[in-house]
Amino acid sequence: MNRINTLFNIRYPIIQAGMIWASGWRLASAVSNAGGLGLIGSGSMYPHVLKEHIQKCKEATDKPFGVNVPLLYPDIDKLMAIILEEKVPIVFTSAGNPKTWTPVLKAAGVKVVHVVSSSLFAEKSEAAGVDAVVAEGFEAGGHNGREETTSMVLIPAVAAKVKIPVIAAGGISSGRAMLAAFALGAEGVQVGSRFVATPEASSHINFKKAILDAQEGDTMLSMKKLTPVRLIKNHFYDVVKAAEDSGADVAALKAILGRARAKTGMFEGNLSEGELEIGQVSALIHEIKPAAEIVADIWEEFEAVRKQFTTY
């Protein structure tokens, strides 16, 4: 047991990331039932949809679960109202100032974790009163930090600056990677991409298969003038890259992005014109398997490799 197990009252310090168009109540409840911490990704949900997912998750598990909330998203007030009304015990926030909502959530007895991409933001999050931080390296999928700091550098940098527990994210899909993160100062891991390739993930099967086909170098950070996001290279990515290379401004990039581009790719399965958000670790994912098996596999490998290294 460590501080992450105790903080969330979970068996394994393995957190499933809140991901748009992938992590609804089915995935979150499956991970929580398996001993980890499942998170509902509210970023792609209207308030009434989030409420439905929270209620269904309560029915599907009696274990702790949480909600991930990107603070830059519209309807943030309504999303938080639903979370408080439904008495969600754990909230992970990202992409915004933790000072805004942490005091409100903490006053309601909610455990709060903020996702950071630098040790400076980690210190600010600690000062804002969060219970833990997620140090998310440049390898991670979805929206990413502009600093482009990799997990191998970010995790120890953050661990050296804060007293609260550090959860590592970015490039983690195995027990070996989890052990490496712990060696660098983490007390838990947040796993995203690996849980997309599960039957419980709500993303389209075409997207899941694209993850299995991905090789090293098939993802790139894109749209840095807007909100940086790591994508699988496809026709949409090529159009964005050509525009960026030619000096397109924010307005031009917004016009190319349009509306519901991530939904088109990740939820509807259009692999050419959609935004396919996934991490570099997709190159190491080779099969679709149940979330509970992934939790067990990560923990068993973590324990086996940890014991192996104690013999040195």
Side-chain angles (χ1 to χ4, degrees):
M1 295 290 288
N2 66 18
R3 290 190 293 175
I4 292 299
N5 298 82
T6 303
L7 178 64
F8 301 136
N9 191 27
I10 55 177
R11 185 176 181 185
Y12 308 122
I14 300 170
I15 295 106
Q16 162 252 310
M19 302 166 288
I20 61 170
W21 304 116
S23 53
W25 69 269
R26 287 184 178 85
L27 179 57
S29 62
V31 172
S32 289
N33 282 332
L37 178 68
L39 298 180
I40 296 170
S42 71
S44 53
M45 297 179 180
Y46 291 112
H48 73 277
V49 175
L50 174 61
K51 184 172 185 175
E52 178 184 347
H53 277 261
I54 292 171
Q55 291 176 343
K56 287 185 175 180
C57 200
K58 288 177 180 177
E59 293 172 1
T61 183
D62 60 357
K63 301 294 194 298
F65 71 92
V67 174
N68 171 270
V69 186
L71 298 176
L72 56 72
Y73 275 53
D75 288 332
I76 185 69
D77 292 359
K78 295 177 182 177
L79 293 175
M80 288 298 190
I82 294 294
I83 287 168
L84 293 171
E85 176 187 329
E86 292 294 327
K87 294 181 169 54
V88 174
I90 301 161
V91 171
F92 279 50
T93 56
S94 60
N97 187 347
K99 287 183 179 180
T100 309
W101 283 100
T102 297
V104 176
L105 293 167
K106 293 286 290 178
V110 178
K111 299 291 194 306
V112 182
V113 181
H114 194 64
V115 181
V116 301
S117 57
S118 72
S119 56
L120 175 61
F121 288 144
E123 289 179 292
K124 289 183 176 181
S125 298
E126 184 175 44
V130 303
D131 296 287
V133 289
V134 176
E136 184 177 74
F138 173 63
E139 304 95 325
H143 293 293
N144 215 316
R146 286 183 169 84
E147 297 85 354
E148 301 191 10
T149 307
T150 62
S151 295
M152 288 288 284
V153 174
L154 181 63
I155 297 164
V158 170
K161 291 291 185 177
V162 299
K163 295 182 174 61
I164 55 177
V166 176
I167 300 164
I172 300 169
S173 68
S174 67
R176 289 179 180 274
M178 180 176 173
L179 184 62
F182 274 50
L184 294 172
E187 294 182 52
V189 292
Q190 179 174 277
V191 178
S193 299
R194 185 63 193 93
F195 283 116
V196 180
T198 60
E200 297 92 344
S202 51
S203 42
H204 198 281
I205 187 62
N206 290 353
F207 179 47
K208 295 177 186 181
K209 289 180 177 178
I211 294 168
L212 305 188
D213 292 338
Q215 303 296 316
E216 299 158 59
D218 283 352
T219 71
M220 291 293 289
L221 202 64
S222 183
M223 292 184 281
K224 294 181 185 179
K225 289 183 181 178
L226 300 178
T227 303
V229 61
R230 181 171 294 281
L231 306 172
I232 292 178
K233 296 175 183 176
N234 63 356
H235 180 258
F236 167 67
Y237 166 81
D238 291 340
V239 171
V240 171
K241 186 176 187 304
E244 290 179 325
D245 289 346
S246 65
D249 59 14
V250 169
L253 290 173
K254 283 185 176 180
I256 293 170
L257 180 61
R259 285 182 56 81
R261 184 72 71 166
K263 181 181 180 183
T264 298
M266 300 163 69
F267 191 69
E268 297 176 351
N270 187 329
L271 301 185
S272 175
E273 301 302 327
E275 184 177 309
L276 307 177
E277 301 182 13
I278 206 71
Q280 287 183 344
V281 78
S282 54
L284 303 179
I285 300 170
H286 306 303
E287 62 179 328
I288 295 170
K289 64 192 307 182
E293 291 185 23
I294 291 171
V295 173
D297 288 349
I298 291 174
W299 183 252
E300 287 171 10
E301 185 177 74
F302 171 83
E303 285 284 81
V305 178
R306 181 178 64 83
K307 290 175 183 176
Q308 173 189 334
F309 277 97
T310 60
T311 63
Y312 278 81

